[in-house]
């Protein structure tokens, strides 16, 4: 099975061949590196930009306004914060021109903890990004969803922020990408650049890649349950699924939802699940103050109050300026499997 980095690479290849993507660019995105996480190796429209995040976003806006379809990369989301004003401009362009101008641009950026990146390479960006109207915002937790969401993003006529959980980029999926070879080693030989001299290397793309697309605004029920609902996305989603699986042995039935798309998001899926279970826990690793999960808690209370058997809860990252380099500091800063397990167990035990 492909890992998420390979899935992203194959989706970008499909997009430049079939969906009109004209430019894939960013710091170290082109040859020879192909991106710091290798997500852009072998792509024919990939090129290296200067080390200038504002220049990258500005160039993407210009290319999109001029009729191109760019996919820009910010190497780590920690460095996208100095482009907030440009992201705001990109988001309001269609609205402020009454639809006369669209910006068919995608911005990809790795987010979150999990690689011991310390304070400059471990931030989350989901809550901040959902504050900027006019953008679609997505974050996959599996390679297949990464492939499908990126193909959808590359067909949208307005800007899409594609958040990549860096801790999952090397994790293999459980479902094959449509057209992916059955042999993992064969896939690697085709599309993974070799170590050392890459000057003569060219990717050999699988011939049968298909346009598998995941629609924006549609979540996915990863695990059925009856006692409580757990809603997550990105790095913490597999942890939530694992915690629910482990707790089943103790008689706790937790339903797990992968939101996948943060804007628009699948409120109807959340609503139906909470009305069934009566309890809900929202989990992500962004800082807990003004967290996107707090918005979901607020809406749950306002619209589903009389369906609740317990107050809705949020489990998120600590409100800290950054994440420490030491292993113990990173583990303590954002939700881990043990934290999620404890939170599910506690919520399941709470009685009205």
């Amino acid at each position: 099975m492909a890992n998420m980095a390979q899935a992203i690479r194959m989706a970008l290849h499909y997009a430049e061949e079939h969906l009109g993507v004209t430019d894939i660019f960013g710091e170290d995105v082109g040859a020879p590196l192909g991106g710091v996480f290798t997500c852009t190796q072998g792509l024919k429209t990939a090129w290296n930009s200067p080390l200038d995040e504002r220049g990258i976003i500005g160039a993407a806006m210009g290319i999109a306004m001029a009729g191109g379809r760019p996919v820009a990369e910010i190497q780590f989301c920690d460095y996208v914060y100095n482009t907030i004003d440009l992201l705001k401009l990109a988001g309001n362009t269609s609205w402020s021109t009454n639809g006369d101008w669209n910006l068919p641009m995608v911005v990809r950026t790795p987010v979150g903890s999990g690689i011991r990146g310390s304070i400059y390479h471990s931030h989350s960006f989901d809550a901040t990004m959902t504050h900027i109207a006019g953008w679609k915002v997505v974050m996959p937790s599996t390679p297949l969803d990464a492939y499908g969401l990126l193909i959808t993003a590359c067909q949208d006529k307005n800007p899409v922020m594609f958040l990549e959980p860096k801790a999952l980029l090397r994790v293999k999926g459980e479902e094959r990408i449509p057209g992916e070879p059955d042999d993992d080693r064969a896939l690697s030989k085709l599309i993974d650049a070799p170590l050392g001299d890459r000057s003569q290397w060219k990717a050999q793309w699988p011939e049968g890649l298909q346009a598998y697309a995941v629609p924006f605004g549609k979540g996915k029920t990863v695990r059925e349950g009856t006692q409580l609902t757990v809603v997550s996305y990105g790095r913490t989603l597999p942890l939530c699924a694992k915690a629910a699986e482990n707790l089943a042995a103790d008689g706790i039935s937790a339903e797990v939802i992968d939101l996948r798309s943060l804007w628009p998001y699948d409120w109807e899926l959340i609503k139906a699940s909470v009305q069934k279970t009566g309890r809900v826990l929202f989990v992500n690793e962004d800082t807990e103050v003004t967290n996107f999960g707090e918005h979901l808690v607020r809406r749950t209370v306002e619209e589903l109050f009389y369906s609740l058997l317990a107050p809705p809860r949020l489990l998120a990252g600590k409100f800290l300026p950054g994440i420490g380099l030491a292993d113990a500091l990173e583990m303590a800063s954002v939700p881990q499997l043990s934290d999620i397990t404890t939170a599910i167990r506690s919520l399941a035990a709470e009685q009205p």
Side-chain angles (χ1 to χ4, degrees), residues 3-146:
N3 61 37
M4 189 178 290
Q6 292 172 323
I8 290 169
R9 200 183 312 152
M10 287 189 284
L12 290 172
H13 167 70
Y14 185 91
E16 65 181 5
E17 291 292 331
H18 302 285
L19 304 178
V21 165
T22 56
D23 297 86
I24 299 169
F25 67 100
E27 298 165 8
D28 298 317
V29 162
L33 187 60
V36 69
F37 292 101
T38 73
C39 293
T40 55
Q41 287 181 348
L43 297 168
K44 69 179 183 181
T45 61
W47 51 273
N48 293 318
S49 74
L51 304 183
D52 176 13
E53 286 77 20
R54 293 183 63 81
I56 292 169
I57 298 300
M61 293 171 65
I63 292 169
M65 285 183 174
R69 184 175 281 277
V71 178
E73 178 185 297
I74 302 297
Q75 195 169 79
F76 289 88
C77 82
D78 310 62
Y79 302 102
V80 76
Y81 284 88
N82 70 340
T83 73
I84 293 292
D85 57 328
L86 297 177
L87 298 180
K88 177 64 176 172
L89 286 173
N92 70 24
T93 294
S94 180
W95 180 84
S96 62
T97 63
N98 197 31
D100 288 341
W101 289 90
N102 296 312
L103 267 77
M105 57 183 279
V106 178
V107 177
R108 300 174 34 253
T109 188
V111 297
S113 65
I115 65 164
R116 307 300 179 260
S118 192
I119 60 174
Y120 296 116
H121 300 86
S122 300
H123 278 98
S124 294
F125 192 58
D126 40 299
T128 301
M129 195 60 223
T130 55
H131 294 163
I132 304 176
W135 286 75
K136 312 285 177 58
V137 185
V138 298
M139 188 190 304
S141 66
T142 69
L144 183 59
D145 281 346

Side-chain angles (χ1 to χ4, degrees), residues 61-249:
M61 293 171 65
I63 292 169
M65 285 183 174
R69 184 175 281 277
V71 178
E73 178 185 297
I74 302 297
Q75 195 169 79
F76 289 88
C77 82
D78 310 62
Y79 302 102
V80 76
Y81 284 88
N82 70 340
T83 73
I84 293 292
D85 57 328
L86 297 177
L87 298 180
K88 177 64 176 172
L89 286 173
N92 70 24
T93 294
S94 180
W95 180 84
S96 62
T97 63
N98 197 31
D100 288 341
W101 289 90
N102 296 312
L103 267 77
M105 57 183 279
V106 178
V107 177
R108 300 174 34 253
T109 188
V111 297
S113 65
I115 65 164
R116 307 300 179 260
S118 192
I119 60 174
Y120 296 116
H121 300 86
S122 300
H123 278 98
S124 294
F125 192 58
D126 40 299
T128 301
M129 195 60 223
T130 55
H131 294 163
I132 304 176
W135 286 75
K136 312 285 177 58
V137 185
V138 298
M139 188 190 304
S141 66
T142 69
L144 183 59
D145 281 346
Y147 182 84
L149 287 168
L150 190 49
I151 283 180
T152 301
C154 290
Q155 298 177 79
D156 205 284
K157 65 181 181 180
N158 277 302
V160 179
M161 181 62 69
F162 191 88
L163 305 175
E164 302 170 2
K166 64 177 76 77
L168 301 182
L169 285 170
R170 290 290 177 267
V171 177
K172 290 185 177 182
E174 297 179 355
E175 301 170 281
R176 291 206 179 276
I177 308 300
E180 171 192 347
D182 292 338
D183 186 343
D184 295 351
R185 289 174 295 181
L187 177 65
S188 179
K189 186 173 291 187
L190 288 171
I191 70 171
D192 291 342
L195 298 176
D197 183 14
R198 301 173 178 176
S199 59
Q200 303 302 315
W201 176 80
K202 290 186 178 180
Q204 303 296 316
W205 300 101
E207 295 181 359
L209 288 178
Q210 301 171 28
Y212 175 83
V214 174
F216 293 156
K218 291 296 182 182
K220 177 173 63 177
T221 301
V222 174
R223 183 183 180 87
E224 300 279 352
T226 59
Q227 289 179 269
L228 74 154
T229 301
V230 182
V231 181
S232 188
Y233 49 85
R235 182 192 72 88
T236 54
L237 189 281
L239 299 179
C240 291
K242 182 64 175 177
E245 179 183 347
N246 293 342
L247 288 169

